Amino acid sequence: MILQNNYHWVMLFLMWSVYTCFGIVSGSLSPISPILINELNLTYTQMGFILGFWQFIYIFTAMPTGSIIDKWKLKKSIMIGIVVMFISMISRGLSVNFISLLISVGIFGFGGPIASSGSPKLVATWFKQKDRGLASGIYATGPVAGNAIAFATAANIAIHFNNWRMISVIYGLILFIVMIFWSVFSKDKNQNNINPNPDINTSYKDLFKIKTVKIIMVLSIIFFFISHSLGAWTPSILIDQKFSITNAGYISSIFTLISLISLILITSLFPKNKRKEAMIYILLLCGVASLGIAFLTGYKLVFSLLIVTVFKIALMPLSTLILMEHKEIGPKKIGTAAGMFFASAEIGGFGGPFIIGLLREITNSHQIGFILSSILCFIGIVFAFNLDNSDKHEISRAIKK
């Protein structure tokens, strides 16, 4: 009975495990990018394109998968997502050139959105409003933990086995185990009080009328440009500073683990009416620290990397919390709303790694890329100032008109 009454925490742990696998897969290539560039004869631009390609696919798959999650049950849809991520991970180890590696990464763009949109859907469905901040902070640590695992272990696996392809074998085994656990222990919550979406097109149309949704979608592009570009190129930046490939991986992993604390604290301590302010403060810190990455060297640069890594991570769950707690969204439409969020976000998610890689190749430096990141942070502050809670009935007013 006790377990049954608290099964929402079991479901959250299972979802966290799936989202951790998401982080492992998405973070598996950047720690070994120098190895891949050498062994597969890639340019920095090609490597940047590969690192951002799954985000490009995301742009087109996030909205349909978000709607599917609202219409299907979580157990089935998340299972499909894990299987697709598993296929992507295994196929990476079979890659022999730019095209084959690009395709294997692209496959992830079909499974990843199910985990991304499924996580806020699970929180909105299984948790009461008072616990959603904490639950969102916890599930959002999943991809962070996964990235940390990849950053800490990928290069070591490649060096230990003298074969980078063993990364796919070991990480693939982890995904397979999580797949089994999800299949056995996950279950769907009875939602008799929640009507399914009667019309997906109407849902999109209605959600686009909400001012907050439109602003969050614009901000999401900036958030993911900053987050994914830094996540993809942090090891490379550290290697440029004369750190070894393994030490660069360790440092990136430590930064990521530290960010787990700030993630849970920020999502838990900032209530509904203070999340706008939290976004503004984070963007300000990231904007200043991005300039530090661009202009500083040595341990001052490392500290700047730490600041951005620790605080940027909270921007995504803060955004999904704002969406799921909006009166016209809630548990009923959060899958669709999250899909819209990630569809726009991955424009930045794809553009960030690619643009930083392109600028790195053109200028032989990361400086211009992180000046651009800083500018985007300050632009984001302007948009964040326009977030408010006054549009709760905006859809109703628009429909009446």
Side-chain angles (χ1 to χ4, degrees), residues 14-78:
L14 292 170
M15 191 70 246
W16 179 89
S17 300
V18 173
Y19 220 4
T20 299
C21 289
F22 174 102
I24 290 173
V25 179
S26 65
S28 63
L29 295 185
S30 62
I32 59 167
S33 57
I35 297 174
L36 295 173
I37 288 170
N38 181 54
E39 293 202 10
L40 300 182
N41 296 316
L42 305 175
T43 66
Y44 274 96
T45 302
Q46 286 177 321
M47 192 69 237
F49 192 79
I50 288 169
L51 291 173
F53 190 58
W54 63 268
Q55 293 97 317
F56 175 74
I57 301 296
Y58 237 92
I59 296 169
F60 306 101
T61 57
M63 288 177 68
T65 54
S67 297
I68 286 170
I69 290 168
D70 276 339
K71 297 187 75 175
W72 293 2
K73 294 185 176 181
L74 271 172
K75 183 181 180 75
K76 177 183 178 181
S77 55
I78 297 299

Side-chain angles (χ1 to χ4, degrees), residues 249-282:
Y250 286 138
I251 293 171
S252 300
S253 180
I254 291 168
F255 285 0
T256 305
L257 289 173
I258 293 173
S259 70
L260 297 179
I261 300 171
S262 71
L263 176 56
I264 295 175
L265 287 176
I266 290 170
T267 54
S268 301
L269 297 179
F270 284 89
K272 182 177 179 180
N273 62 341
K274 294 293 183 182
R275 288 175 183 142
K276 164 185 169 179
E277 286 79 2
M279 281 186 175
I280 292 170
Y281 296 146
I282 291 170

Side-chain angles (χ1 to χ4, degrees), residues 120-382:
K121 178 72 174 182
L122 185 143
V123 169
T125 302
W126 281 83
F127 285 81
K128 297 179 181 178
Q129 183 171 335
K130 65 183 179 67
D131 294 323
R132 287 176 183 167
L134 176 60
S136 294
I138 291 172
Y139 86 67
T141 65
V144 182
N147 278 175
I149 291 169
F151 286 149
T153 62
N156 283 308
I157 292 171
I159 292 170
H160 178 76
F161 290 99
N162 195 29
N163 185 351
W164 63 269
R165 300 177 192 278
M166 284 300 298
I167 294 170
S168 288
V169 177
I170 294 172
Y171 290 174
L173 180 61
I174 295 173
L175 264 74
F176 184 77
I177 293 170
V178 171
M179 190 189 311
I180 297 301
F181 270 82
W182 178 267
S183 176
V184 173
F185 295 107
S186 69
K187 62 183 183 180
D188 293 306
K189 184 176 178 65
N190 186 8
Q191 301 182 65
N192 292 328
N193 62 322
I194 299 177
N195 296 321
N197 282 342
D199 181 15
I200 292 175
N201 292 325
T202 300
S203 177
Y204 287 146
K205 181 180 177 181
D206 288 350
L207 291 174
F208 270 122
K209 292 177 182 178
I210 305 174
K211 174 185 173 184
T212 295
V213 171
K214 289 183 282 191
I215 293 175
I216 288 291
M217 288 179 72
V218 173
L219 285 171
S220 71
I221 298 173
I222 297 172
F223 295 166
F224 275 48
F225 184 101
I226 298 163
S227 180
H228 286 263
S229 60
L230 192 70
W233 290 110
T234 291
S236 178
I237 294 169
L238 292 169
I239 291 168
D240 284 349
Q241 294 292 311
K242 309 305 180 185
F243 289 90
S244 70
I245 187 171
T246 52
N247 285 338
Y250 286 138
I251 293 171
S252 300
S253 180
I254 291 168
F255 285 0
T256 305
L257 289 173
I258 293 173
S259 70
L260 297 179
I261 300 171
S262 71
L263 176 56
I264 295 175
L265 287 176
I266 290 170
T267 54
S268 301
L269 297 179
F270 284 89
K272 182 177 179 180
N273 62 341
K274 294 293 183 182
R275 288 175 183 142
K276 164 185 169 179
E277 286 79 2
M279 281 186 175
I280 292 170
Y281 296 146
I282 291 170
L283 285 167
L284 180 60
L285 281 169
C286 290
V288 173
S290 292
L291 290 176
I293 297 171
F295 292 105
L296 300 177
T297 59
Y299 288 100
K300 291 180 181 178
L301 180 145
V302 173
F303 180 73
S304 297
L305 285 170
L306 173 63
I307 293 297
V308 180
T309 303
V310 165
F311 288 100
K312 71 176 175 62
I313 204 71
L315 291 170
M316 184 272 285
L318 285 172
S319 300
T320 55
L321 276 168
I322 289 171
L323 292 175
M324 79 171 64
E325 292 177 347
H326 195 285
K327 183 175 181 179
E328 298 292 346
I329 301 175
K332 182 170 63 175
K333 293 184 178 180
I334 185 57
T336 304
M340 293 166 66
F341 170 83
F342 286 109
S344 58
E346 294 302 352
I347 297 173
F350 166 71
F354 176 69
I355 291 172
I356 296 296
L358 177 62
L359 293 173
R360 166 68 170 77
E361 185 161 341
I362 293 172
T363 65
N364 200 34
S365 169
H366 290 101
Q367 186 177 75
I368 301 299
F370 284 95
I371 291 174
L372 175 60
S373 294
S374 179
I375 292 171
L376 289 175
C377 287
F378 296 131
I379 292 173
I381 291 173
V382 176

